[in-house]
Amino acid sequence: MGAVAATFLAKGMYRPADPAVMATVPRVGAAEAFFLELVLTFVLMFVITAVATDPTSSKELVAISIAAAIMMNALIGGPSTGPSMNPARTIGAALATGKYKDIWVYLLAPPLGAIAGAGAYTLIKP
């Protein structure tokens, strides 16, 4: 509901509203977008798991580490997929803008990437 509300708020604030900017729609093929979203979400969840759950990590740097991972993902994936890394964000924007092109990529890749990222850290942590 938060994503839907935020998208409708953005549509109301920005005139003319540009659905291409608000919606998460891949600008590459579906297979490439799926792989990219999977990898970006993997990286994000790996970092979150590493800094937020490891008792030896610096708790002062948790927010900075996670924000840096999100920023890196946005810079890398922005031109290709408008990285979602969160199905709720994509669903909310799609409902508000009516843009559903290849939405399955954003519904499937982020959960799989998150599971893989948390699992990979769990496997390699000391």
Side-chain angles (χ1 to χ4, degrees), residues 11-120:
K11 281 177 73 172
M13 288 175 51
Y14 298 107
R15 295 290 178 188
D18 186 0
V21 173
M22 292 182 273
T24 308
V25 178
R27 292 171 199 87
V28 295
E32 185 179 350
F34 179 86
F35 180 73
L36 186 58
E37 281 293 317
L38 184 107
V39 170
L40 295 176
T41 309
F42 174 94
V43 168
L44 177 61
M45 187 53 70
F46 187 90
V47 169
I48 290 171
T49 306
V51 299
T53 65
D54 192 344
T56 61
S57 70
S58 171
K59 298 305 175 200
E60 295 80 17
L61 297 177
V62 169
I64 293 171
S65 302
I66 295 170
I70 292 171
M71 183 177 70
M72 179 201 70
N73 286 349
L75 291 171
I76 291 171
S80 302
T81 64
S84 172
M85 300 173 282
N86 181 350
R89 176 189 160 307
T90 300
I91 292 169
L95 289 173
T97 62
K99 300 268 184 197
Y100 298 98
K101 181 179 184 270
D102 292 328
I103 195 168
W104 69 269
V105 167
Y106 300 101
L107 299 178
L108 192 58
L112 292 176
I115 292 167

